[in-house]
Amino acid sequence: MNTLDVGLAYGAATLVFLFSGIPIAFALGAVATLFMLLFMPAAALDTVAQSVYEELSSITLLTIPLFILKGAAIGKTRAGKDLYDALHTWMHRVPGGLGLAVTIACGLFAAMAGSSPATCSAIGSSGIPEMRMRGYSPGFAAGLVAAGGTLGILLPPSVVLILYAVASEQSLGRLFLAGLGPGLLLVVLFGAYAMVRWRFEYRAALARGQPSPILERHNYTMRDRLAAAPRVLPFLILLTGVMGALYGGIATPSETAGLGAILALVLIGIVYRTWRLKEIVPIFSGSLGESGMLLMIIGMSLLYSYVMSYLKISQGAAAWIVGLHLSKWLLLTAILLLVVVLGFFLPPVSIILMTAPIILPPLKAAGFDLVWFGVIMSVVMEMGLIHPPVGLNIFVINRIAPDIGLGPIIWGTLPFVILMAIGVVILSVVPGIAMWLPAAVYG
Amino acid sequence: MTAAIEPDAFSSAEPVSGPLGPVQKALDVVNIIMAVGSAVAILAAGLILTWEVAGRYFLGMPSNWQDELSVFLLIGATFASASWTQARRGHVGIDALSHVLPPGADRVRRFLADLVAFVFVAFFAWKSWELMKEAWDEGETTPSSWGPPLWIPYASMAYGMALLALQLLVQTLQLGRRS
């Protein structure tokens, strides 16, 4: 068999194994092992376990459990509610201020916790009822939180960017910095939409001429505005301080992860008195379940791409794409569409590790900056978190607000999918939004 | 993909009826011990890395062993807890076909999926075992100046994957019994 046939067989086997319902990690591992057995020297099979260990024993990858622990610790407290409450007391005069406050809170929380589902459930579990109580339509409230939660995979310390750094051999520090500008751009787009949509719903309520909670005005005193500060500020200061330590060269990424997790645990103990075993145990069991599942997928995905590259499948596919001589932007569009389609079935971590060896060489040859592309790919994968029918955040929201129903949630998230697509176009036209910060810091 | 259900505690798997019941009960005990140990390992890794940065910054201590020890702890946690995660079906898969297939065919699909996962994991456990034995016999260490023995992380893979294989076998047999 030539490389093309082996490659097609590899792809077909992957589809069959994944869709059979075998857990993603073991499906990828089994396909890789099967092809080792068929097409590689017998000795290769003896190295299965060693390859996984060597790929996985990278300190960069192993920051993931610690970042997840940090997110779980903050996510299990009232910090999310305190955050948007505090922001709302400052912004209530702005039309649609609550929606804006929720958007910004999502961004800040995502940056602290580094996880999309954690952000959704932390902000959404009280934010969605609060917005509905104030007269926001349920779908709008759900869509706003689902979309705001996706900022978690763009803002540092994003697990997705960590993996991309490993897969593309780009600097993690640069990638984290490059995610900040686009993260801010999305916050602005989401916030602007929240204000416009609020205005629209406000006018509709006014036209009905009946009393509606959306028409009520609230006033906050300075005391209200400062009330939550003692609870919110320690988190913001300490956790941005930890990231500052990373960029200041004081701490390595792994130390940042360890320090962040421990500080988060200490802070929730001090600020929210979360130190009883009954409250601590769910934090650890939850983050262990998530990080164990993720790292198993990562380890096996790495074995999968090792076999793909040993059999020259990835090189062949990459060379084939280069040989098509597509125009620069057509190539980018085609690759991003592929990422969207894969997003229907696979979590971002597998998409990155499985596709990086195939799609990055052609992109590099076409003259794209791989740090910039990492950010673009993250935004596109974020869309995968909220686009129907499979977006993970849709199900998270459905779990915390089951009475809204999947239909309205999906309709509520669609405008944000479009906004993110607009964001990708803006970032393609003005790459500086992503690239100026890393360039300014690292030169 | 499906949303993973976050466990609220170090809970055991769903109770299994029939002759496999006691086996799953015994596995649950081992699984929970391994999971608690893994959680402690993650916490320990966090403390060690915090100590690393604090020690270097305030006490001028060199950082030479902390990263490696953390890698051992976190790899250990990943593999040692794998069976506990599988007991609660926490390793996510694509279940799109379960909405399409008739119930009978879907049971066969789930049985085959568990069977393939079991065969792969058992093979992986066997290869990890050989790797551990070789590292033990030859006294292999990591290439760093600290140079801890490599059989330690390999052992976590060998035992963790063996336990996971056993867990998958029980789940496969249980599905086979029902259908």
Side-chain angles (χ1 to χ4, degrees):
Chain A
M1 277 171 99
N2 62 22
T3 308
L4 178 64
D5 294 338
V6 176
L8 290 176
Y10 202 60
T14 308
L15 284 180
V16 171
F17 275 57
L18 281 176
F19 276 91
S20 73
I22 304 171
I24 294 169
F26 311 136
L28 295 178
V31 172
T33 311
L34 180 68
F35 275 70
M36 279 179 148
L37 185 70
L38 294 175
F39 298 106
M40 283 163 70
L45 274 178
D46 291 333
T47 63
V48 168
Q50 195 172 3
S51 314
V52 171
Y53 173 77
E54 275 167 13
E55 300 277 12
L56 208 51
S57 62
S58 117
I59 189 71
T60 311
L61 281 180
L62 290 171
T63 55
I64 292 171
L66 294 164
F67 281 132
I68 290 177
L69 177 60
K70 178 175 115 178
I74 303 173
K76 281 279 192 292
T77 63
R78 266 189 323 121
K81 178 172 168 43
D82 280 344
L83 199 55
Y84 75 74
D85 270 351
L87 288 164
H88 182 216
T89 55
W90 288 92
M91 292 182 195
H92 73 279
R93 279 181 205 286
V94 183
L98 180 61
L100 194 58
V102 167
T103 310
I104 297 174
C106 278
L108 287 172
F109 194 90
M112 291 196 296
S115 151
S116 287
T119 306
C120 273
S121 52
I123 304 277
S125 49
S126 56
I128 293 176
E130 172 112 21
M131 282 191 279
R132 293 172 71 186
M133 207 177 69
R134 302 276 175 104
Y136 285 55
S137 68
F140 172 37
L144 191 60
V145 172
T150 64
L151 294 165
I153 70 173
L154 196 56
L155 296 168
S158 135
V159 169
V160 167
L161 286 181
I162 293 173
L163 278 168
Y164 183 84
V166 170
S168 66
E169 296 174 351
Q170 299 294 313
S171 144
L172 182 59
R174 267 178 199 275
L175 275 163
F176 274 175
L177 286 179
L180 279 178
L184 204 61
L185 172 71
L186 288 181
V187 169
V188 170
L189 287 174
F190 294 170
Y193 174 77
M195 290 167 69
V196 171
R197 174 72 191 253
W198 179 87
R199 173 69 69 191
F200 181 74
E201 293 195 349
Y202 181 88
R203 288 226 181 102
L206 211 56
R208 275 197 300 274
Q210 290 159 353
S212 159
I214 203 168
L215 302 174
E216 285 167 23
R217 293 208 164 271
H218 299 265
N219 280 309
Y220 295 93
T221 59
M222 208 48 170
R223 180 194 284 271
D224 293 329
R225 290 181 180 175
L226 296 176
R231 293 197 298 274
V232 172
L233 282 181
F235 282 92
L236 289 180
I237 292 171
L238 268 164
L239 295 172
T240 46
V242 168
M243 293 318 287
L246 173 66
Y247 298 118
I250 297 169
T252 63
S254 59
E255 291 164 354
T256 308
L259 197 61
I262 299 301
L263 279 179
L265 286 169
V266 171
L267 272 183
I268 63 166
I270 296 173
V271 177
Y272 293 103
R273 314 229 163 272
T274 307
W275 42 261
R276 281 179 205 85
L277 212 52
K278 203 178 72 186
E279 296 160 317
I280 294 290
V281 163
I283 294 174
F284 278 92
S285 62
S287 44
L288 181 66
E290 193 182 336
S291 71
M293 182 260 304
L294 267 181
L295 282 179
M296 193 61 83
I297 294 182
I298 293 167
M300 296 304 168
S301 301
L302 288 165
L303 179 70
Y304 179 89
S305 28
Y306 161 73
V307 171
M308 192 161 67
S309 128
Y310 184 97
L311 295 174
K312 302 265 185 291
I313 298 170
S314 20
Q315 296 89 326
W320 176 73
I321 297 176
V322 173
L324 290 177
H325 296 295
L326 297 175
S327 77
K328 198 175 161 180
W329 297 106
L330 189 61
L331 173 73
L332 182 73
T333 311
I335 284 176
L336 291 180
L337 280 177
L338 173 75
V339 172
V340 170
V341 171
L342 289 175
F344 280 114
F345 315 113
L346 291 169
V349 291
S350 321
I351 300 179
I352 292 177
L353 295 175
M354 291 166 71
T355 61
I358 296 178
I359 62 175
L360 295 187
L363 285 167
K364 200 173 176 187
F368 285 106
D369 185 298
L370 291 189
V371 170
W372 173 84
F373 178 72
V375 171
I376 294 287
M377 190 177 177
S378 298
V379 178
V380 171
M381 285 187 299
E382 279 185 58
M383 289 162 67
L385 287 176
I386 59 170
H387 71 55
V390 283
L392 182 58
N393 286 6
I394 292 176
F395 294 98
V396 175
I397 300 282
N398 193 35
R399 205 165 63 211
I400 58 175
D403 61 312
I404 297 180
L406 267 180
I409 296 178
I410 288 171
W411 280 113
T413 55
L414 269 182
F416 294 95
V417 177
I418 297 166
L419 285 174
M420 288 165 125
I422 294 172
V424 169
V425 173
I426 295 177
L427 289 171
S428 303
V429 178
V430 194
I433 296 173
M435 302 312 293
W436 73 268
L437 195 56
V441 172
Y442 290 96
Chain B
M1 77 183 267
T2 47
I5 296 154
E6 267 189 46
D8 282 330
F10 290 104
S11 51
S12 36
E14 271 183 32
V16 171
S17 57
L20 289 168
V23 182
Q24 183 60 55
K25 275 219 177 86
L27 261 177
D28 277 342
V29 174
V30 184
N31 282 343
I32 290 174
I33 292 172
M34 297 289 253
V36 172
S38 302
V40 172
I42 293 180
L43 179 65
L47 288 170
I48 288 167
L49 291 166
T50 304
W51 170 248
E52 178 177 14
V53 65
R56 192 182 56 236
Y57 198 63
F58 295 112
L59 308 171
M61 284 173 9
S63 358
N64 44 13
W65 51 271
Q66 293 92 334
D67 271 10
E68 247 177 333
L69 184 54
S70 310
V71 167
F72 279 19
L73 285 166
L74 293 170
I75 290 222
T78 300
F79 286 98
S81 65
S83 171
W84 170 76
T85 305
Q86 177 60 30
R88 294 167 6 275
R89 299 262 171 204
H91 291 291
V92 296
I94 298 170
D95 63 352
L97 282 182
S98 68
H99 308 296
V100 186
L101 291 177
D106 193 53
R107 264 202 300 280
V108 176
R109 171 192 68 86
R110 279 166 45 209
F111 172 75
L112 288 176
D114 275 5
L115 188 65
V116 172
F118 161 70
V119 171
F120 166 70
V121 170
F123 174 80
F124 194 96
W126 171 45
K127 287 299 165 193
S128 308
W129 189 269
E130 286 187 351
L131 193 65
M132 173 186 75
K133 220 175 144 295
E134 192 187 311
W136 174 274
D137 289 342
E138 320 243 317
E140 288 170 21
T141 60
T142 69
S144 71
S145 58
W146 180 46
L150 267 172
W151 64 263
I152 300 174
Y154 292 164
S156 79
M157 283 168 73
Y159 285 100
M161 291 304 260
L163 188 62
L164 174 61
L166 197 59
Q167 176 63 58
L168 278 162
L169 182 63
V170 170
Q171 287 174 329
T172 312
L173 292 176
Q174 188 63 18
L175 273 177
R177 245 170 55 85
R178 251 183 261 160
S179 52

Short mmCIF file of all heavy atoms in Angstrom, two decimals, chain B residues 26-61:
data_model
loop_
_atom_site.label_atom_id
_atom_site.label_comp_id
_atom_site.label_asym_id
_atom_site.label_seq_id
_atom_site.Cartn_x
_atom_site.Cartn_y
_atom_site.Cartn_z
N ALA B 26 -15.65 -4.54 45.01
CA ALA B 26 -14.23 -4.59 45.39
C ALA B 26 -13.44 -3.57 44.57
O ALA B 26 -12.59 -2.86 45.10
CB ALA B 26 -13.68 -6.00 45.17
N LEU B 27 -13.76 -3.48 43.26
CA LEU B 27 -13.08 -2.50 42.40
C LEU B 27 -13.32 -1.09 42.89
O LEU B 27 -12.42 -0.25 42.88
CB LEU B 27 -13.60 -2.63 40.96
CG LEU B 27 -12.78 -3.43 39.96
CD1 LEU B 27 -13.50 -3.48 38.63
CD2 LEU B 27 -11.40 -2.80 39.79
N ASP B 28 -14.58 -0.83 43.32
CA ASP B 28 -14.92 0.51 43.82
C ASP B 28 -14.00 0.93 44.95
O ASP B 28 -13.54 2.08 44.99
CB ASP B 28 -16.37 0.53 44.32
CG ASP B 28 -17.35 0.74 43.18
OD1 ASP B 28 -16.91 1.20 42.11
OD2 ASP B 28 -18.55 0.45 43.36
N VAL B 29 -13.73 -0.02 45.87
CA VAL B 29 -12.87 0.31 47.01
C VAL B 29 -11.49 0.72 46.50
O VAL B 29 -10.96 1.77 46.87
CB VAL B 29 -12.77 -0.90 47.97
CG1 VAL B 29 -11.76 -0.61 49.07
CG2 VAL B 29 -14.14 -1.24 48.55
N VAL B 30 -10.92 -0.10 45.59
CA VAL B 30 -9.59 0.22 45.05
C VAL B 30 -9.64 1.54 44.28
O VAL B 30 -8.78 2.41 44.45
CB VAL B 30 -9.10 -0.92 44.12
CG1 VAL B 30 -7.68 -0.63 43.65
CG2 VAL B 30 -9.15 -2.25 44.85
N ASN B 31 -10.68 1.69 43.43
CA ASN B 31 -10.80 2.91 42.63
C ASN B 31 -10.81 4.16 43.49
O ASN B 31 -10.15 5.15 43.17
CB ASN B 31 -12.11 2.87 41.81
CG ASN B 31 -11.98 1.99 40.58
OD1 ASN B 31 -10.88 1.65 40.17
ND2 ASN B 31 -13.11 1.60 40.02
N ILE B 32 -11.59 4.12 44.56
CA ILE B 32 -11.73 5.33 45.38
C ILE B 32 -10.42 5.62 46.11
O ILE B 32 -9.99 6.78 46.19
CB ILE B 32 -12.92 5.19 46.36
CG1 ILE B 32 -14.22 5.24 45.54
CG2 ILE B 32 -12.91 6.29 47.41
CD1 ILE B 32 -15.47 4.97 46.33
N ILE B 33 -9.74 4.56 46.57
CA ILE B 33 -8.44 4.78 47.22
C ILE B 33 -7.48 5.44 46.23
O ILE B 33 -6.80 6.42 46.54
CB ILE B 33 -7.85 3.45 47.73
CG1 ILE B 33 -8.71 2.92 48.88
CG2 ILE B 33 -6.40 3.63 48.19
CD1 ILE B 33 -8.33 1.53 49.34
N MET B 34 -7.45 4.92 44.99
CA MET B 34 -6.56 5.46 43.96
C MET B 34 -6.93 6.91 43.63
O MET B 34 -6.06 7.75 43.41
CB MET B 34 -6.63 4.63 42.68
CG MET B 34 -6.16 3.21 42.85
SD MET B 34 -4.38 3.12 43.07
CE MET B 34 -3.90 2.46 41.48
N ALA B 35 -8.25 7.20 43.59
CA ALA B 35 -8.69 8.55 43.23
C ALA B 35 -8.29 9.54 44.31
O ALA B 35 -7.80 10.64 44.02
CB ALA B 35 -10.21 8.57 43.01
N VAL B 36 -8.50 9.15 45.58
CA VAL B 36 -8.12 10.06 46.66
C VAL B 36 -6.61 10.28 46.63
O VAL B 36 -6.13 11.42 46.75
CB VAL B 36 -8.59 9.49 48.03
CG1 VAL B 36 -8.02 10.33 49.17
CG2 VAL B 36 -10.11 9.46 48.10
N GLY B 37 -5.86 9.19 46.41
CA GLY B 37 -4.41 9.32 46.30
C GLY B 37 -4.02 10.26 45.16
O GLY B 37 -3.13 11.10 45.30
N SER B 38 -4.73 10.17 44.03
CA SER B 38 -4.43 11.02 42.87
C SER B 38 -4.70 12.48 43.18
O SER B 38 -3.93 13.36 42.80
CB SER B 38 -5.28 10.60 41.68
OG SER B 38 -5.05 9.26 41.37
N ALA B 39 -5.81 12.73 43.87
CA ALA B 39 -6.14 14.11 44.23
C ALA B 39 -5.06 14.68 45.14
O ALA B 39 -4.63 15.83 44.98
CB ALA B 39 -7.51 14.18 44.91
N VAL B 40 -4.59 13.86 46.10
CA VAL B 40 -3.52 14.31 46.99
C VAL B 40 -2.25 14.58 46.18
O VAL B 40 -1.54 15.56 46.43
CB VAL B 40 -3.26 13.25 48.10
CG1 VAL B 40 -2.02 13.60 48.91
CG2 VAL B 40 -4.48 13.12 49.00
N ALA B 41 -1.99 13.75 45.15
CA ALA B 41 -0.81 13.95 44.32
C ALA B 41 -0.88 15.28 43.57
O ALA B 41 0.13 15.99 43.47
CB ALA B 41 -0.66 12.80 43.33
N ILE B 42 -2.07 15.63 43.06
CA ILE B 42 -2.22 16.91 42.35
C ILE B 42 -1.96 18.07 43.31
O ILE B 42 -1.24 19.03 43.00
CB ILE B 42 -3.61 17.02 41.71
CG1 ILE B 42 -3.76 15.99 40.58
CG2 ILE B 42 -3.84 18.43 41.14
CD1 ILE B 42 -5.09 16.02 39.87
N LEU B 43 -2.54 17.96 44.52
CA LEU B 43 -2.33 19.01 45.52
C LEU B 43 -0.84 19.11 45.85
O LEU B 43 -0.28 20.22 45.93
CB LEU B 43 -3.15 18.71 46.78
CG LEU B 43 -2.99 19.71 47.93
CD1 LEU B 43 -3.54 21.07 47.52
CD2 LEU B 43 -3.71 19.21 49.18
N ALA B 44 -0.19 17.95 46.02
CA ALA B 44 1.24 17.93 46.35
C ALA B 44 2.04 18.60 45.25
O ALA B 44 2.96 19.39 45.52
CB ALA B 44 1.71 16.50 46.58
N ALA B 45 1.70 18.32 43.98
CA ALA B 45 2.42 18.94 42.86
C ALA B 45 2.27 20.46 42.92
O ALA B 45 3.22 21.19 42.71
CB ALA B 45 1.90 18.40 41.54
N GLY B 46 1.05 20.92 43.24
CA GLY B 46 0.82 22.36 43.37
C GLY B 46 1.70 22.96 44.46
O GLY B 46 2.32 24.01 44.27
N LEU B 47 1.77 22.27 45.60
CA LEU B 47 2.56 22.77 46.73
C LEU B 47 4.06 22.78 46.37
O LEU B 47 4.77 23.74 46.68
CB LEU B 47 2.32 21.91 47.96
CG LEU B 47 0.94 22.07 48.61
CD1 LEU B 47 0.70 21.01 49.68
CD2 LEU B 47 0.80 23.47 49.23
N ILE B 48 4.51 21.73 45.68
CA ILE B 48 5.93 21.65 45.33
C ILE B 48 6.31 22.78 44.37
O ILE B 48 7.35 23.43 44.54
CB ILE B 48 6.23 20.28 44.68
CG1 ILE B 48 6.18 19.20 45.75
CG2 ILE B 48 7.59 20.28 43.99
CD1 ILE B 48 6.15 17.80 45.18
N LEU B 49 5.44 23.06 43.38
CA LEU B 49 5.75 24.12 42.42
C LEU B 49 5.70 25.49 43.09
O LEU B 49 6.48 26.38 42.76
CB LEU B 49 4.79 24.04 41.23
CG LEU B 49 5.00 22.82 40.35
CD1 LEU B 49 3.82 22.61 39.41
CD2 LEU B 49 6.29 22.97 39.54
N THR B 50 4.77 25.65 44.05
CA THR B 50 4.71 26.90 44.81
C THR B 50 6.00 27.07 45.61
O THR B 50 6.60 28.15 45.66
CB THR B 50 3.50 26.89 45.75
OG1 THR B 50 2.33 26.65 44.98
CG2 THR B 50 3.37 28.21 46.48
N TRP B 51 6.44 25.96 46.23
CA TRP B 51 7.68 25.96 47.00
C TRP B 51 8.87 26.29 46.12
O TRP B 51 9.77 27.02 46.50
CB TRP B 51 7.85 24.57 47.65
CG TRP B 51 9.18 24.36 48.27
CD1 TRP B 51 10.15 23.50 47.86
CD2 TRP B 51 9.69 25.02 49.44
NE1 TRP B 51 11.24 23.59 48.67
CE2 TRP B 51 10.99 24.51 49.65
CE3 TRP B 51 9.19 26.00 50.30
CZ2 TRP B 51 11.79 24.94 50.71
CZ3 TRP B 51 9.99 26.44 51.35
CH2 TRP B 51 11.26 25.91 51.55
N GLU B 52 8.83 25.79 44.87
CA GLU B 52 9.92 26.02 43.93
C GLU B 52 10.11 27.51 43.67
O GLU B 52 11.20 28.04 43.79
CB GLU B 52 9.65 25.29 42.61
CG GLU B 52 10.72 25.54 41.54
CD GLU B 52 10.48 24.76 40.26
OE1 GLU B 52 9.36 24.25 40.07
OE2 GLU B 52 11.41 24.67 39.44
N VAL B 53 8.97 28.19 43.35
CA VAL B 53 9.11 29.60 42.99
C VAL B 53 9.41 30.43 44.24
O VAL B 53 10.27 31.32 44.22
CB VAL B 53 7.87 30.12 42.22
CG1 VAL B 53 6.63 30.10 43.04
CG2 VAL B 53 8.11 31.51 41.67
N ALA B 54 8.78 30.07 45.39
CA ALA B 54 9.04 30.82 46.62
C ALA B 54 10.48 30.60 47.07
O ALA B 54 11.18 31.55 47.44
CB ALA B 54 8.06 30.38 47.70
N GLY B 55 10.94 29.34 47.01
CA GLY B 55 12.29 29.02 47.45
C GLY B 55 13.34 29.72 46.61
O GLY B 55 14.32 30.25 47.13
N ARG B 56 13.11 29.79 45.30
CA ARG B 56 14.10 30.41 44.44
C ARG B 56 14.11 31.92 44.61
O ARG B 56 15.15 32.56 44.67
CB ARG B 56 13.82 30.06 42.98
CG ARG B 56 14.99 30.44 42.07
CD ARG B 56 14.69 30.13 40.62
NE ARG B 56 13.47 30.78 40.21
CZ ARG B 56 12.44 30.14 39.68
NH1 ARG B 56 12.47 28.84 39.50
NH2 ARG B 56 11.35 30.80 39.33
N TYR B 57 12.89 32.48 44.77
CA TYR B 57 12.79 33.94 44.79
C TYR B 57 13.23 34.50 46.14
O TYR B 57 13.92 35.50 46.20
CB TYR B 57 11.34 34.33 44.49
CG TYR B 57 11.21 35.77 44.07
CD1 TYR B 57 11.83 36.22 42.90
CD2 TYR B 57 10.48 36.66 44.83
CE1 TYR B 57 11.72 37.54 42.52
CE2 TYR B 57 10.36 37.99 44.45
CZ TYR B 57 10.99 38.42 43.30
OH TYR B 57 10.88 39.72 42.92
N PHE B 58 12.81 33.82 47.24
CA PHE B 58 13.10 34.39 48.56
C PHE B 58 14.35 33.80 49.20
O PHE B 58 15.03 34.46 49.98
CB PHE B 58 11.90 34.19 49.49
CG PHE B 58 10.68 34.93 49.06
CD1 PHE B 58 9.56 34.26 48.60
CD2 PHE B 58 10.65 36.33 49.08
CE1 PHE B 58 8.44 34.95 48.18
CE2 PHE B 58 9.53 37.02 48.66
CZ PHE B 58 8.42 36.33 48.21
N LEU B 59 14.65 32.54 48.92
CA LEU B 59 15.76 31.89 49.61
C LEU B 59 16.93 31.61 48.68
O LEU B 59 17.96 31.11 49.12
CB LEU B 59 15.29 30.57 50.25
CG LEU B 59 14.04 30.66 51.13
CD1 LEU B 59 13.55 29.28 51.52
CD2 LEU B 59 14.35 31.48 52.40
N GLY B 60 16.76 31.92 47.40
CA GLY B 60 17.85 31.70 46.46
C GLY B 60 18.19 30.23 46.26
O GLY B 60 19.33 29.88 45.95
N MET B 61 17.20 29.34 46.49
CA MET B 61 17.45 27.92 46.32
C MET B 61 17.39 27.55 44.84
O MET B 61 16.59 28.09 44.10
CB MET B 61 16.39 27.09 47.05
CG MET B 61 16.61 27.06 48.54
SD MET B 61 15.25 26.25 49.38
CE MET B 61 14.32 25.56 48.06
#
